[in-house]
């Protein structure tokens, strides 16, 4: 990765993105595109950002059965994004198939636990009694064993 700083494009549409990027016309940035923007603007937004020379982290936190996530990763690989992510809760088989389908063109990382998850939610809603620290550590280890490039753990 050329630029270690990733700027989150947490905007609701292309117009807001273009206004923001107007201040960086001569710079090639590493940009994070999340669900809201991607679902609104789609692949065209990614293609435009790539055409402008930016690196892209497509932050969709894919989480489904292994086959479905693998098929999604094949589609995302065609966008030539530099980094994508999955949710480690999908399990090691899902992560392995996702990584294989995405290929070696970019990095794939896994989210361990969402920042909105509390110890109480973990225990009462997800029925995970090991605790947050153990859960995050376990997901990080599964991610590494599955061959992914890193984790997001907050």
């Amino acid at each position: 990765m050329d630029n270690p700083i990733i700027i989150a494009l947490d905007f609701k549409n292309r117009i807001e993105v273009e206004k923001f990027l107007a201040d960086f016309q001569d710079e090639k940035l590493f940009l994070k595109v999340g669900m809201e923007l991607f679902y609104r603007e789609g692949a065209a937004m990614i293609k435009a950002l790539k055409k402008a020379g930016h690196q892209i982290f497509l932050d969709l936190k894919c989480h489904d059965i292994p086959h479905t996530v693998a098929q999604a990763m094949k589609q995302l690989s065609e966008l030539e994004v530099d980094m994508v992510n999955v949710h480690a809760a999908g399990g090691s088989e899902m992560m392995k198939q996702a990584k294989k389908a995405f290929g070696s063109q970019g990095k794939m990382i896994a989210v361990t636990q969402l920042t909105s998850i509390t110890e109480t939610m973990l225990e009462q809603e997800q029925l995970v009694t090991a605790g947050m620290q153990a859960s995050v550590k376990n997901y990080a280890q599964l991610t590494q064993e599955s061959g992914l490039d890193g984790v997001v753990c907050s």
Side-chain angles (χ1 to χ4, degrees):
M1 293 175 205
D2 298 337
N3 191 340
I5 298 171
I6 300 174
I7 300 170
L9 293 181
D10 290 335
F11 301 110
K12 63 182 174 185
N13 60 43
R14 186 180 190 129
I15 294 168
E16 290 183 5
V17 169
E18 289 171 353
K19 281 183 193 177
F20 174 77
L21 291 178
D23 292 335
F24 301 95
Q25 288 182 1
D26 298 329
E27 295 183 59
K28 304 304 179 206
L29 305 171
F30 201 137
L31 304 169
K32 178 187 77 86
V33 174
M35 288 182 202
E36 181 180 11
L37 182 59
F38 185 73
Y39 292 158
R40 168 79 183 224
E41 300 294 342
M45 178 91 258
I46 303 302
K47 290 176 183 176
L49 293 170
K50 290 298 288 182
K51 186 175 180 181
H54 301 298
Q55 291 179 281
I56 305 296
F57 166 29
L58 190 53
D59 180 20
L60 301 180
K61 300 173 191 72
C62 294
H63 179 187
D64 208 314
I65 63 173
H67 176 77
T68 299
V69 174
Q71 294 305 309
M73 286 301 154
K74 282 182 186 175
Q75 298 299 316
L76 296 179
S77 72
E78 292 179 11
L79 296 177
E80 299 179 359
V81 295
D82 302 278
M83 186 162 55
V84 294
N85 61 3
V86 296
H87 201 298
S92 59
E93 188 60 30
M94 183 205 75
M95 289 190 280
K96 288 174 189 174
Q97 287 190 33
K99 178 70 174 170
K100 182 178 179 184
F102 187 66
S104 60
Q105 72 173 41
K107 303 281 186 193
M108 181 177 290
I109 61 176
V111 174
T112 56
Q113 286 288 350
L114 299 174
T115 56
S116 60
I117 302 297
T118 65
E119 287 279 351
T120 301
M121 291 170 66
L122 194 67
E123 186 177 317
Q124 294 179 6
E125 296 178 20
Q126 297 180 3
L127 302 179
V128 175
T129 57
M132 185 67 72
Q133 191 169 10
S135 174
V136 168
K137 186 176 179 182
N138 179 59
Y139 281 148
Q141 186 173 346
L142 282 176
T143 299
Q144 182 180 29
E145 291 168 1
S146 299
L148 274 62
D149 300 296
V151 294
V152 176
C153 55
S154 43

